[in-house]
Amino acid sequence: MRQRNVKNKAEIINNSKYIIKEPEKLKGNWRNVFENDNPLYIEIGMGKGDFIRENALKYPNINFIGIEKFDSIIALAIKKLDIDIPNLKLIRMDALNIENVFEKEVDKLFLNFSDPWPKPRHEKRRLTSSEFLMRYENIFKEKKIIEMKTDNRELFEYSLFSFNKNDYKIEDISLDLHHSDYPDNIMTEYERKFTSKGNVIYYVKVVK
Ligand SMILES: C[S@@+](CC[C@H](N)C(=O)[O-])C[C@H]1O[C@@H](n2cnc3c(N)ncnc32)[C@H](O)[C@@H]1O
């Protein structure tokens, strides 16, 4: 995502009640943050956060955490949160550290329009590479569920192979999400942008 510098980003992040500042300290205990035993869904690379925010508003009995690695982008997400959403928290971090933050407590992981990193030498940076799928292994409660959306055919095909190689099974798939019967799709910023250009949106839900 192209970043524009956001003035006062550090202040916006530090003063936000949505931000969890030392997420490693909560590993294994996220239910204490939300003060309930509701399911926990996370999104890695949430960008400006439209998807995770709309989900949290629509499903108050599910806890949501949005993860984003850049200060400027997460600051823009915070600026959009002008109402109280008790089942939503945000973390500013690189997902490389995900294993240090969650342990057997995540019910579902969303990967929406992840950066494709097309060069072979950057494969390990793709959020659906075997390296990342290994990092996710221990964050899930029992059943592992990943839902992915992208308009990038190469990344989608690569991810299907990678999921298969790592023993995930396809539970649902669409090669044209917006012309399928997938119920109640919540759009991301990138999804709106690419759909308006006429791009097809690919979707897959895998389980293990
Ligand atoms: C192409 S944007 C998509 C944003 C949003 N999911 C959407 O669909 O509109 C990808 C986002 O993922 C973030 N990102 C990429 N790699 C990441 C990582 N390793 N950890 C956390 N965030 C990451 C980027 O900073 C960027 O905001």
Side-chain angles (χ1 to χ4, degrees):
M1 179 179 280
R2 192 163 351 120
Q3 281 188 65
R4 72 179 165 90
N5 189 35
V6 176
K7 226 174 94 186
N8 303 333
K9 54 181 183 287
E11 208 182 322
I12 293 170
I13 295 170
N14 282 334
N15 294 336
S16 172
K17 63 181 176 198
Y18 288 97
I19 289 280
I20 302 290
K21 293 201 178 88
E22 294 179 296
E24 296 86 357
K25 291 193 173 160
L26 293 162
K27 183 175 172 177
N29 292 304
W30 281 93
R31 83 168 78 80
N32 297 344
V33 173
F34 294 101
E35 297 177 336
N36 61 48
D37 282 323
N38 292 342
L40 177 59
Y41 291 5
I42 67 171
E43 182 188 12
I44 296 179
M46 64 158 192
K48 294 179 203 152
D50 288 4
F51 175 85
I52 200 93
R53 187 186 64 244
E54 295 310 313
N55 267 285
L57 286 169
K58 190 167 178 179
Y59 303 106
N61 294 329
I62 298 174
N63 299 323
F64 290 89
I65 298 179
I67 297 168
E68 169 54 49
K69 76 174 167 184
F70 289 117
D71 287 357
S72 288
I73 298 176
I74 206 163
L76 292 173
I78 293 167
K79 279 178 154 195
K80 292 185 173 192
L81 290 167
D82 50 4
I83 47 165
D84 193 31
I85 312 178
N87 57 325
L88 176 65
K89 294 292 172 202
L90 307 178
I91 305 176
R92 215 285 308 144
M93 72 167 199
D94 191 319
L96 278 171
N97 297 322
I98 194 99
E99 294 158 294
N100 300 325
V101 171
F102 300 103
E103 187 172 31
K104 299 201 185 311
E105 53 201 328
V106 172
D107 291 274
K108 193 187 281 189
L109 165 61
F110 294 106
L111 298 172
N112 293 318
F113 298 83
S114 305
D115 296 327
W117 294 109
K119 291 184 182 153
R121 69 188 158 91
H122 290 148
E123 181 188 343
K124 288 183 183 173
R125 298 185 192 180
R126 297 175 198 155
L127 293 178
T128 50
S129 64
S130 288
E131 283 75 11
F132 268 101
L133 293 180
M134 303 276 272
R135 289 187 184 104
Y136 308 147
E137 269 298 291
N138 213 30
I139 68 168
F140 287 107
K141 236 176 236 169
E142 276 174 33
K143 191 172 178 184
K144 302 170 180 65
I145 306 177
I146 303 177
E147 288 192 46
M148 171 190 190
K149 291 196 274 189
T150 183
D151 71 320
N152 186 304
R153 179 91 192 190
E154 288 74 26
L155 178 68
F156 191 64
E157 287 176 1
Y158 168 84
S159 302
L160 294 180
F161 278 110
S162 184
F163 289 138
N164 182 51
K165 199 163 91 185
N166 289 277
D167 299 323
Y168 281 88
K169 302 275 174 265
I170 294 175
E171 196 173 277
D172 200 358
I173 189 164
S174 173
L175 301 182
D176 188 355
L177 181 63
H178 293 177
H179 294 104
S180 70
D181 54 7
Y182 182 76
D184 305 328
N185 181 42
I186 292 178
M187 300 253 263
T188 79
E189 302 93 62
Y190 269 63
E191 190 169 353
R192 278 199 198 89
K193 190 168 90 180
F194 291 133
T195 303
S196 70
K197 287 182 180 171
N199 295 11
V200 156
I201 306 300
Y202 305 106
Y203 163 82
V204 69
K205 177 181 181 184
V206 293
V207 296
K208 180 168 163 179

